[in-house]
Amino acid sequence: MGVFFDNSKALLYCDNDVLSAVNLFMKRLLPISWWLAVALLAAPLSAQKPLAALPAMGWNSWNHFAGRVTDAEVRSAADQLVSTGMRDAGYIYVNLDDTWQGQRDSQGVLHPNARFPDMKSLADYVHSKGLKFGIYSSPGAKTCGGYAGSLDHETQDAGMYARWGVDYLKYDLCSFADNMRAARQQHPEDPMAEFTLMISAYRKMGAALKATGRPILYSLCEYGIDEPWKFGPGVDAQMWRTTDDINDTYARMMEIAYNQVGLEKYAGPGHWNDPDMLEIGNGGMSYDEYKTHMTLWVLLAAPLLAGNDLNTMSAADKGLLTNREAIAIDQDALGKQAARVWQRGDFSLWSKPLTGGRTAFGLINNSWQTRNIPLDLNQIGFQQGAAVHDVWADKDLGRWSAIKVIQIPKHGAALYVLSNP
Ligand code: GLA
């Protein structure tokens, strides 16, 4: 314990009894009390482990089921996450999106509609599978689907979510845009009136969720309009949509991916950019296009929320969604989002730093033909060459020191992890 102070001089002036008591304290009790203090300090620190230390992974009902979703489908998604191995690959959130809401009663309590007879029992079911349960609302009076939002009921709704056992809330701007327009009309002198009102609405729910004492991941959805990557952390959110909705087309998926360029500095443990949910398995893209979708999303450290019908998932789509190494890139503890190193005409190179001095690279062929794309490791910081691992082929390619030409099919992608052992 000499690191703290030197006790030798103090001991010179003490009689023997006092000396031995002091000695006992210094030798026996002080070390114990020191460790006790460390333990007491460490306990609250571990309890404060941030939500979403890694990008959230799970399934969401919207992309496939939209407004048709029922209790049975959510339970079935939970079952399938387990039986397909997706839960064990990391997909742990089962998120019920819009259209679960019924009416508020005279006390203001919002009841689910007839498709969700007992939300607590649904949450319990999801939990019984070793999964977490997510739900959806809006700061406005209405959700995007026209169902009841949380306006003026934030604390009440947050408390109800906590009692149900909700672990995740997607909070979607929707009709709150009407309130923002009204604020602008009421305060023509204030150019920030709409923005200020929106921030206060998101902050209100963030505070209400926190006040429940239950760790509920808070996911903002305002389509990236007001740069939520800048205000999200300040309203206690852990992730925020950076774009308007994805759809199941290659064009839209690529447009969203390209719009992520420059946002990499806003991503990190506990705060993630969300380029929207996955469309893999919904049938609108080819296998190579879905591979590109997964490649880009894992490089972007995006939340991975599958949006397909897990009951009818093909082996190929399951292979893309559960590829262990691709997921490890997304979930790398460094928490870096890839930057686009270059875009040359219709192909691009993306790079994501990983733990252990490794780097993940994605080559994307946006053209309409198979292309031979040269990859020069010199240009991407590996002057001495590097050991190369092909993620999609699950193959070590040995050490590369020169320029390699990589063949990539139309709308396809290659994903590599480079290291210098
Ligand atoms: C918005 C969101 C979607 C989905 C729908 C539900 O469009 O961006 O992700 O939640 O609302 O109505």
Side-chain angles (χ1 to χ4, degrees):
M1 292 303 101
V3 274
F4 293 117
F5 58 89
D6 179 359
N7 57 331
S8 54
K9 292 195 182 64
L11 299 185
L12 285 176
Y13 305 101
C14 299
D15 66 27
N16 280 348
D17 283 354
V18 176
L19 263 182
S20 50
V22 170
N23 262 331
L24 177 73
F25 176 73
M26 288 311 205
K27 287 195 183 127
R28 301 272 163 80
L29 300 178
L30 190 59
I32 294 169
S33 56
W34 189 81
W35 284 114
L36 200 64
V38 169
L40 285 174
L41 277 173
L45 280 180
S46 64
Q48 284 162 15
K49 194 170 163 227
L51 271 169
L54 299 172
M57 290 179 67
W59 174 88
N60 175 293
S61 59
W62 186 254
N63 281 357
H64 181 79
F65 292 101
R68 306 180 308 277
V69 66
T70 66
D71 173 285
E73 268 133 11
V74 179
R75 285 174 196 254
S76 159
D79 295 344
Q80 292 295 328
L81 284 173
V82 177
S83 63
T84 57
M86 286 179 72
R87 178 195 63 186
D88 295 342
Y91 293 85
I92 54 161
Y93 286 101
V94 178
N95 291 353
L96 170 57
D97 208 276
D98 200 358
T99 80
W100 60 266
Q101 307 87 338
Q103 304 300 321
R104 288 195 188 273
D105 64 22
S106 56
Q107 307 302 307
V109 177
L110 178 59
H111 295 271
N113 60 42
R115 283 180 281 125
F116 295 92
D118 185 344
M119 204 61 97
K120 169 87 174 77
S121 121
L122 177 57
D124 288 348
Y125 185 79
V126 169
H127 291 149
S128 76
K129 303 278 164 182
L131 296 160
K132 291 178 184 282
F133 183 56
I135 211 160
Y136 166 103
S137 191
S138 168
K142 297 275 179 220
T143 66
C144 293
Y147 289 71
S150 293
L151 183 66
D152 298 331
H153 294 278
E154 293 83 0
T155 307
Q156 193 172 24
D157 287 359
M160 180 176 71
Y161 302 150
R163 282 192 298 281
W164 284 344
V166 165
D167 305 295
Y168 181 123
L169 175 69
K170 172 174 171 183
Y171 208 43
D172 194 356
L173 193 70
C174 299
S175 74
F176 197 74
D178 299 340
N179 303 67
M180 291 161 64
R181 266 190 295 279
R184 187 177 53 200
Q185 278 154 14
Q186 281 158 21
H187 297 280
E189 79 291 354
D190 182 358
M192 300 290 282
E194 289 174 277
F195 183 73
T196 307
L197 186 72
M198 180 192 62
I199 300 279
S200 72
Y202 276 125
R203 184 172 289 128
K204 202 183 278 178
M205 184 52 96
L209 293 174
K210 242 181 153 176
T212 67
R214 185 178 174 85
I216 300 179
L217 193 156
Y218 187 29
S219 161
L220 308 186
C221 183
E222 72 90 58
Y223 333 113
I225 298 169
D226 290 292
E227 303 185 314
W229 43 90
K230 292 187 180 160
F231 71 77
V235 299
D236 284 321
Q238 287 78 41
M239 55 187 266
W240 37 82
R241 280 268 297 277
T242 53
T243 79
D244 206 341
D245 293 13
I246 195 168
N247 61 41
D248 192 14
T249 64
Y250 177 74
R252 179 67 186 139
M253 182 276 292
M254 286 304 290
E255 181 183 23
I256 288 180
Y258 285 167
N259 285 340
Q260 306 312 299
V261 173
L263 298 186
E264 52 272 15
K265 61 175 177 287
Y266 300 102
H271 49 101
W272 307 102
N273 293 315
D274 173 13
D276 208 356
M277 301 167 290
L278 296 165
E279 290 284 5
I280 295 166
N282 282 331
M285 296 186 225
S286 69
Y287 176 73
D288 282 322
E289 291 169 344
Y290 280 143
K291 188 189 272 186
T292 299
H293 188 6
M294 189 71 178
T295 300
L296 283 163
W297 262 236
V298 301
L299 285 166
L300 291 169
L304 297 178
L305 296 168
N308 56 324
D309 180 359
L310 303 178
N311 289 290
T312 57
M313 179 165 56
S314 70
D317 292 332
K318 182 174 125 181
L320 291 176
L321 285 167
T322 57
N323 183 289
R324 201 172 43 82
E325 292 178 83
I327 290 174
I329 292 172
D330 182 80
Q331 300 282 298
D332 186 81
L334 216 50
K336 295 280 185 199
Q337 173 174 326
R340 188 170 60 187
V341 182
W342 43 252
Q343 168 84 40
R344 293 190 183 142
D346 42 21
F347 57 91
S348 55
L349 176 71
W350 301 66
S351 140
K352 179 187 197 292
L354 302 175
T355 45
R358 299 163 308 133
T359 307
F361 283 98
L363 267 173
I364 309 294
N365 175 9
N366 194 195
S367 82
W368 298 349
Q369 290 94 31
T370 295
R371 295 285 296 270
N372 291 321
I373 303 180
L375 181 61
D376 182 352
L377 299 194
N378 258 307
Q379 289 178 354
I380 54 176
F382 286 83
Q383 282 82 2
Q384 312 307 319
V388 180
H389 182 78
D390 182 333
V391 171
W392 292 120
D394 189 16
K395 206 170 164 193
D396 281 329
L397 302 181
R399 213 179 159 78
W400 289 4
S401 47
I403 297 176
K404 289 282 177 180
V405 175
I406 295 149
Q407 191 171 80
I408 306 183
K410 161 193 169 181
H411 290 183
L415 183 58
Y416 300 114
V417 174
L418 270 59
S419 58
N420 243 326

